[in-house]
Amino acid sequence: VKQKLSGLRLRHETQGTGPEDAPFALSVDGEEITAYPGDTIAAALYAAGRRAWRTARNGEPRGLLCGIGVCFDCLVTVDGVPNIRACQALAQPGMVVVTGQRGEDVE
Amino acid sequence: MSRAVEVAVVGGGPGGLSAALAAARAGAQVTLLDGYTRPGGQYYRQPPDRLMARATRRQRQGRALWQQARDAGVEILSDWVVWDAAPDRTLAAAGPDGTTLIHPAALVLATGSYERLAAFPGWTLPGVMTSGAAQALLYQGVAPGKRVLLVGAGPLQLTTAAELLHAGVEVAAVLEAAPVLRKILPHAAAMWGQWERAVEGLESVLALASRGVPYRTGWGIVSAYGEGQVEGARIARLDADWRPVAGSEREVACDTICIGYGFIPFNALSRLAGAQQEWRPELGGEIPLRDKHMQTTMPGIFAAGDGAGLGGYRSALLEGQIAGLAAAAFLGRAGLGQESALRGLARRLERERAFQRLYSSLFAPELGLYELAQPDTLICRCEGVTLGDLQAAVRENGAASFVEAKNITRCGMGECQGRVCGQMIPQIISRLSGVSPEQVGSNAPRPPLFALPLHRLRAADQAAAGRSFERRL
């Protein structure tokens, strides 16, 4: 179940001062989403209205739990590399993120 | 490939930065390894550069300490994950191009802590997260949800609630499991001289009150519900053992639940390095035994900050300074006046520890916290082990230790390596078997401490590693 909870980007927090602060696009499951420099993949997913993106071994949806890189619940595949922590990896322009990774992929 | 350094510091939070700074100022060559993209740890977590103009006082303090360390000549390697430590102080550190074996002449471990969680029905639903996760999102300019319920024990829930309100996010309520007001009176004397802390707490309470957000002490969560993600929570008044009081239950609509019951020291590296550990529940659980100079039982291996026993950032700053000076002295770099500096730091640390004793007596988890799970509730989220599986392991297979439960169920063996469930399982097995949590034992850390892509685990070749060091200098 991929339910959306949109509008989580705080408007006053989108502004930066220079051209390097401009938003950019990355691909998540084939869909373009917008991120800002310094966003982790998890923050970009939340801002895009996605809070469940991994499937646990028992089939449950999972997303962000600890937010500090210790729980590994938020794993995604980034540019073909699996098991990347969405809460730690920074979103980059043109990055290709695939979610829905299942627990048993981690071996 | 391998590399020799004088002092290696692991961890870039308050403890690690202050240790690195103190050792560098004492004349040592210092390399700081930090697993995050920039220094600061959790307490000084830095905002993205574009939002620096809106940084909090805490974030500015962290940035200043980071710059001081850099100016003092500390080599800071960010996004370097230390995944093993040996008794001879050798570290296996994964950089962007692979793993380098670092051989420090003295080692300071300042690995911090992470939030203590407790399983309840619905705790695996997306939308249930730690308060730290909510803060991390908030500092990136993203709200964790539209309507947030905060539950747990300790001041972080209050601080986070105040920050959410400040950012314009609706807060449903803050539930503090500990009956703080009733418990604080006998300890009023220890609060003497702690006005800064009292004011911080009061400011958060006032921020809640001014927006009509309930702050309930002696209340907790019973379960979370929702289709595919959080839609609400059942909450209840708690008795002295933190067990829900019958008849007090009510529902709260929310899309996000922030949980956190204090912190757990991340002692895995000191344990892997062979340092003797002791069981000190009032300091968060299992921690390395240390002398007054923060040296563990392994010569030349020092430990500072929350990872060596909870104390908060003020303690971490002081312990870091002591450990940094002591690490430099271990190399024969003791400056003039070092002894009196160490004595002064020790006196200040003693005052901080008095506060930590108060803090732990106020917010220490009671047994009811670990009784919320039902037989079908997951305990080990990674391996999918339920309370029912653990009950069967104890009652049918006679498991009475962590190791036995692990052999039977695989609990604590998943991607998180037991960091999430590892502290609940001894409590649960203890309740089921009658054996004390200390005797049930803890989950042994195993290298690699963090699951990393293979290209980061394999040895970095000379050229690639050289390039990555240069990039960061």
Side-chain angles (χ1 to χ4, degrees), chain B residues 91-176:
Chain B
L91 300 172
D97 303 310
T99 288
T100 298
L101 295 181
I102 311 258
H103 303 289
L107 172 62
V108 181
L109 299 172
T111 45
S113 59
Y114 45 82
E115 276 162 292
R116 178 187 300 277
L117 303 180
F120 53 84
W123 79 299
T124 53
L125 283 171
V128 175
M129 67 180 80
T130 66
S131 294
Q135 283 187 326
L137 285 174
L138 212 49
Y139 298 164
Q140 296 175 74
V142 175
K146 297 276 193 192
R147 184 172 154 86
V148 183
L149 171 70
L150 297 101
V151 300
L156 181 63
Q157 310 307 102
L158 262 183
T159 314
T160 308
E163 289 177 358
L164 287 165
L165 288 170
H166 184 72
V169 181
E170 188 183 349
V171 174
V174 180
L175 308 183
E176 167 59 59

Side-chain angles (χ1 to χ4, degrees), chain B residues 33-357:
Chain B
L33 300 133
D34 187 41
Y36 296 102
T37 51
R38 45 177 53 186
Q42 303 314 321
Y43 184 77
Y44 290 139
R45 176 188 286 278
Q46 295 293 301
D49 288 338
R50 71 176 208 283
L51 302 176
M52 200 55 210
R54 299 177 55 86
T56 62
R57 191 178 52 176
R58 177 155 44 113
Q59 290 167 330
R60 287 178 204 285
Q61 285 168 355
R63 180 145 309 205
L65 187 57
W66 167 16
Q67 278 163 0
Q68 280 173 25
R70 211 172 46 194
D71 294 346
V74 175
E75 177 191 27
I76 298 176
L77 301 178
S78 288
D79 199 15
W80 274 67
V81 178
V82 177
W83 55 265
D84 197 7
D88 69 354
R89 300 186 286 273
T90 299
L91 300 172
D97 303 310
T99 288
T100 298
L101 295 181
I102 311 258
H103 303 289
L107 172 62
V108 181
L109 299 172
T111 45
S113 59
Y114 45 82
E115 276 162 292
R116 178 187 300 277
L117 303 180
F120 53 84
W123 79 299
T124 53
L125 283 171
V128 175
M129 67 180 80
T130 66
S131 294
Q135 283 187 326
L137 285 174
L138 212 49
Y139 298 164
Q140 296 175 74
V142 175
K146 297 276 193 192
R147 184 172 154 86
V148 183
L149 171 70
L150 297 101
V151 300
L156 181 63
Q157 310 307 102
L158 262 183
T159 314
T160 308
E163 289 177 358
L164 287 165
L165 288 170
H166 184 72
V169 181
E170 188 183 349
V171 174
V174 180
L175 308 183
E176 167 59 59
V180 183
L181 296 179
R182 184 151 40 83
K183 282 179 100 172
I184 205 163
L185 290 174
H187 298 284
M191 281 301 285
W192 187 258
Q194 300 289 351
W195 306 122
E196 197 189 333
R197 285 187 173 94
V199 167
E200 279 169 18
L202 200 58
E203 276 172 356
S204 301
V205 172
L206 289 175
L208 264 60
S210 72
R211 288 172 174 86
V213 175
Y215 172 57
R216 297 178 189 278
T217 64
W219 278 73
I221 192 165
V222 177
S223 62
Y225 57 86
E227 279 299 318
Q229 64 179 31
V230 172
E231 290 167 15
R234 290 183 190 87
I235 65 170
R237 186 188 298 282
L238 304 179
D239 67 15
D241 296 320
W242 294 18
R243 293 187 173 101
V245 173
S248 68
E249 234 178 77
R250 60 180 72 170
E251 288 193 0
V252 179
C254 55
D255 56 48
T256 304
I257 301 171
C258 292
I259 52 178
Y261 298 88
F263 300 89
I264 301 165
F266 188 47
N267 68 330
L269 280 176
S270 69
R271 195 169 151 179
L272 283 173
Q276 194 185 326
Q277 308 288 314
E278 53 176 344
W279 179 250
R280 297 282 297 277
E282 78 282 11
L283 296 176
E286 188 186 81
I287 54 172
L289 199 64
R290 294 177 298 168
D291 67 15
K292 64 175 181 171
H293 289 155
M294 307 299 142
Q295 186 166 225
T296 66
T297 53
M298 302 305 287
I301 301 184
F302 302 81
D306 275 1
L310 303 180
Y313 84 97
R314 291 181 180 85
S315 279
L317 288 171
L318 294 167
E319 290 191 4
Q321 287 178 70
I322 294 170
L325 289 173
F330 186 78
L331 307 178
R333 299 276 168 75
L336 281 175
Q338 171 133 328
E339 277 307 311
S340 72
L342 284 170
R343 276 197 302 275
L345 289 166
R347 274 195 299 275
R348 289 165 62 195
L349 187 58
E350 200 36 60
R351 284 197 292 273
E352 288 302 320
R353 287 187 172 158
F355 186 78
Q356 174 58 29
R357 284 191 286 274

